[in-house]
Amino acid sequence: AEIGTLTGRSEWNKAAPFLGFGFNNSKNAIKRFGFQAMIGAAYIGKPDVNLDAIGGLLASDPVFLDELAAEEQQLSDDLDSFRFHPILNLGFSIRF
């Protein structure tokens, strides 16, 4: 009742540059079975973190809002070390 409803959201870049390398032998006309593998990382950037308090007795209290802003900054700093997202893609194919 004092705090109300807390909501949080974090967003990274909508487009992420990707660097990776892979192997694909599924185009080989002689073999019926194929295998694909790719490994790399995407740069997702620094997150944008938002924490909001809706309703409740403390939703407009300046001390509570300062603490919420400090928590938002701490969460942003914690997520800042995850700027790169690892990607692994494996595939198998059968030609008929």
Side-chain angles (χ1 to χ4, degrees), residues 5-49:
T5 303
L6 290 176
T7 59
R9 184 184 71 217
S10 63
E11 292 182 359
W12 283 267
N13 295 340
K14 296 203 186 301
F18 172 78
L19 179 63
F21 63 94
F23 170 79
N24 185 348
N25 74 345
S26 62
K27 301 290 184 188
N28 191 340
I30 298 171
K31 296 183 180 180
R32 183 173 175 193
F33 300 101
F35 176 75
Q36 307 90 37
M38 180 181 60
I39 189 166
Y43 177 74
I44 56 176
K46 187 175 180 177
D48 178 26
V49 177

Side-chain angles (χ1 to χ4, degrees), residues 46-90:
K46 187 175 180 177
D48 178 26
V49 177
N50 293 315
L51 297 175
D52 295 315
I54 301 169
L57 301 173
L58 296 176
S60 60
D61 181 30
V63 174
F64 175 73
L65 293 176
D66 287 343
E67 290 177 0
L68 190 61
E71 184 66 29
E72 186 177 279
Q73 183 60 45
Q74 179 64 41
L75 185 57
S76 179
D77 292 343
D78 290 344
L79 293 175
D80 193 30
S81 61
F82 297 103
R83 289 187 182 199
F84 291 91
H85 181 72
I87 296 174
L88 174 65
N89 184 11
L90 301 173

